[in-house]
Amino acid sequence: MNVLVINCGSSSLKFQLINSDTEAVLAKGLCERIGIDGRLTYQPAGGEKSVEEKPMPTHTEAIQYVIDALTDAERGVVGSLSEIGAVGHRLVHGGEKFASSAVITEEMIKAVEECNDLAPLHNPANLIGVRACQELMPNVPMVGVFDTAFHQTMPEKAYMYGLPYEYYEKYKVRRYGFHGTSHSFVSKRTAELLDRSYDATKTIVCHLGNGASICAVRNGKSVDTSMGLTPLEGLVMGTRSGDIDPAILEFLAKKEGMDITELMTMLNKKSGVQGVSGISSDFRDLAAGAEAGNKRAQIALDVFCYRVAKYVGSYVAAMNGVDAIAFTAGIGENDGSVREKVCSYLGYLGIEIDKEANKQRGEEIVISTPDSKVKVLVVPTNEELAIARETVALV
Ligand code: ADP
């Protein structure tokens, strides 16, 4: 079956058409500047990438262009719409309502809408994509795959904040975690690569991209993760602060005369390694900066790696041990120096890194030595494939 995987934001939409039997990507692309002017980037497998300006006043036009490109006589990859068997939508927040993926129905959409307050920027945008697809492909079954679902197995002690209980009861203020599709995919693949049973393995997944989170997976279940009510908690990220003393908000509000919106923008967009270094959120720029003697770039890298290592240590405690640590996403897959630095804090676990293996980029590889007590791996994530698999399983 061919599955169209859609990741819809407020002004952009990423897509991949995946053949679920071969798991090959038939075509992929991106619609940008929806509601502004519109641009379609499209690439069929083995074919050339094209970029076209197209008017996209709403997501419906954007998805129509995607369908047109996929079914085009020359650059298309399917003969007609009837060859698309299902659509898998990435949905950000399923609150406590969704502990797994779900077939999209009116009732299901209503339940997702009830979670909108928890992700006001993402959920409504995701649902616009769902509605537009329903309009253009009324007879194609659709599935929603949630970023939060995998973490619904976290125990209370991991998801409750030390806040008055009434806020949990009234508004469901608790930790949810994100990147669940990636953490699930990578932890499963890690067990496969090590030829271990997923149900009897303790894995720590370090999803280190522009947004970054860590997850403790015990016997196939998420037992803790570093993001919380929102994706702001946890690691120091590209532009997000991660964990801070909450009293800093009041302190800076008074000193700088900032209101809550300005403070939140600062924490989400101007902090992280970007804020510390003052150079960039991109680790390639930071490495170049540090190499050239820029002190703040070096501090940013040090702060990032130290925070990752501290979380790994805390998850070893959470699971009373660890069998494997997997690095994934843009930084985790590509930046050997970050991996090496993080692991340099973990010698007490009996971890030894094979420096040659650790030079590899972007491929599945064990980077620990054969003697290392804990296996360390690079496992490229593939959220689209994970969504396609979930979709097929449900339709
Ligand atoms: P997201 O999906 O959260 O936007 P990605 O997982 O795509 O993020 O990761 C993007 C980040 O990965 C970049 O900001 C950059 O810091 C890092 N990155 C990508 N390629 C490399 C590389 N070759 N070396 C080091 N870091 C890289």
Side-chain angles (χ1 to χ4, degrees), residues 179 207-211 281-284 329-331 334-335 361:
H179 292 140
H207 178 110
L208 310 179
N210 209 14
S281 61
D282 193 303
F283 276 59
R284 288 160 288 196
I331 301 157
N334 292 299
D335 197 328
R361 281 186 32 203

Side-chain angles (χ1 to χ4, degrees), residues 54-338:
K54 297 263 192 194
M56 298 175 183
T58 72
H59 288 72
T60 307
E61 289 82 14
I63 290 170
Q64 185 62 56
Y65 288 126
V66 172
I67 295 172
D68 291 347
L70 292 170
T71 56
D72 187 75
E74 274 168 29
R75 58 181 183 156
V77 290
V78 291
S80 74
L81 201 52
S82 64
E83 289 174 44
I84 297 176
V87 181
H89 291 270
R90 177 188 178 217
L91 303 179
V92 168
H93 218 307
E96 288 186 331
K97 291 177 195 291
F98 294 96
S100 58
S101 306
V103 174
I104 294 178
T105 60
E106 279 310 310
E107 205 184 348
M108 182 270 191
I109 291 177
K110 240 177 110 211
V112 177
E113 280 169 345
E114 284 165 17
C115 303
N116 280 2
D117 275 355
L118 294 169
L121 293 181
H122 293 103
N123 267 23
N126 297 159
L127 289 175
I128 288 172
V130 171
R131 289 292 187 203
C133 284
Q134 285 180 323
E135 194 183 327
L136 297 170
M137 297 178 256
N139 300 317
V140 179
M142 303 197 189
V143 168
V145 180
F146 296 90
D147 260 23
T148 51
F150 182 60
H151 303 300
Q152 277 298 300
T153 47
M154 280 196 288
E156 255 171 354
K157 64 184 176 189
Y159 72 68
M160 285 304 295
Y161 287 114
L163 291 170
Y165 197 78
E166 65 186 275
Y167 300 131
Y168 172 62
E169 290 177 313
K170 277 204 271 189
Y171 311 119
K172 295 285 174 213
V173 173
R174 50 158 281 181
R175 310 185 60 258
Y176 291 93
F178 298 86
H179 292 140
T181 311
S182 176
H183 288 302
S184 160
F185 179 89
V186 170
S187 55
K188 231 175 254 159
R189 187 70 192 134
T190 299
E192 278 169 18
L193 290 168
L194 295 177
D195 206 13
R196 294 182 62 111
S197 157
Y198 190 44
D199 297 340
T201 304
K202 295 172 181 174
T203 309
I204 296 174
V205 179
C206 305
H207 178 110
L208 310 179
N210 209 14
S213 72
I214 304 205
C215 183
V217 185
R218 184 172 57 207
N219 306 341
K221 293 195 165 70
S222 169
V223 293
D224 207 342
T225 191
S226 59
M227 285 177 167
L229 175 76
T230 75
L232 186 53
E233 191 180 337
L235 300 176
V236 176
M237 308 180 212
T239 63
R240 291 178 220 153
S241 64
D243 302 336
I244 57 163
D245 179 346
I248 291 172
L249 295 182
E250 187 205 17
F251 184 88
L252 287 181
K254 286 184 177 159
K255 291 280 184 201
E256 296 270 320
M258 290 158 93
D259 64 22
I260 192 67
T261 308
E262 289 167 325
L263 285 165
M264 292 315 292
T265 303
M266 182 271 290
L267 293 178
N268 275 300
K269 303 238 156 88
K270 299 181 186 168
S271 298
V273 293
Q274 161 81 59
V276 174
S277 70
I279 297 183
S280 170
S281 61
D282 193 303
F283 276 59
R284 288 160 288 196
D285 300 335
L286 296 177
E291 183 77 27
N294 184 305
K295 190 154 174 279
R296 279 172 57 185
Q298 187 60 56
I299 296 172
L301 289 169
D302 291 347
V303 167
F304 179 87
C305 294
Y306 180 63
R307 179 77 58 91
V308 173
K310 283 210 296 186
Y311 261 99
V312 170
S314 67
Y315 289 167
V316 175
M319 297 193 289
N320 194 11
V322 60
D323 299 305
I325 298 173
F327 287 92
T328 195
I331 301 157
E333 291 167 27
N334 292 299
D335 197 328
S337 60
V338 164

